[in-house]
Amino acid sequence: MDLQGSTKRESERVFQCWLVLDLALLEEMGEPLLDELNRIFNLQPGPTLRHDVAHGPLSEGQCCSADVIYACWLLYRVCCLPLLTRWDEFVRPGLAIEEPGR
């Protein structure tokens, strides 16, 4: 098995997983947001942050690059901002469980 064949199979698996996620999330998140996430984390040319984080070529200095900062902001926007409107419903109960003395 050569490295190039191995890389190609890995890319195909990632692409197939992305398609499954893409179909499942398309209705919920919308096509523009999914395209943006795909461009940042998966597609070449581009930052391909998923690969760089998973396989280690992301250096310490690159952690402060514009691509990484933008990716962190985007993930915060997707994951955390929707919770702010429902903080009392989803987050506060979990925080109460972690309080000392409870």
Side-chain angles (χ1 to χ4, degrees):
M1 174 179 352
D2 65 355
L3 182 60
Q4 187 177 20
S6 174
T7 303
K8 183 178 180 187
R9 282 190 288 281
E10 178 187 352
S11 296
E12 289 170 359
R13 283 194 304 269
V14 169
F15 182 71
Q16 288 170 348
C17 290
W18 188 258
L19 282 177
V20 171
L21 287 174
D22 193 32
L23 294 174
L25 295 173
L26 184 60
E27 187 176 317
E28 184 69 30
M29 299 176 89
E31 188 173 347
L33 179 57
L34 288 179
D35 285 344
E36 185 72 9
L37 290 168
N38 199 21
R39 273 190 232 106
I40 291 169
F41 291 101
N42 295 320
L43 295 181
Q44 292 180 352
T48 60
L49 293 177
R50 184 211 59 82
H51 179 273
D52 290 352
V53 170
H55 300 288
L58 187 72
S59 71
E60 183 178 345
Q62 288 173 303
C63 290
C64 296
S65 71
D67 290 333
V68 173
I69 291 170
Y70 177 74
C72 288
W73 171 85
L74 185 60
L75 289 176
Y76 174 80
R77 180 180 154 238
V78 170
C79 298
C80 297
L81 285 181
L83 282 176
L84 292 179
T85 60
R86 302 179 78 182
W87 185 269
D88 290 333
E89 182 181 352
F90 291 110
V91 180
R92 193 170 306 280
L95 294 175
I97 292 170
E98 294 179 6
E99 288 179 6
R102 289 197 115 183

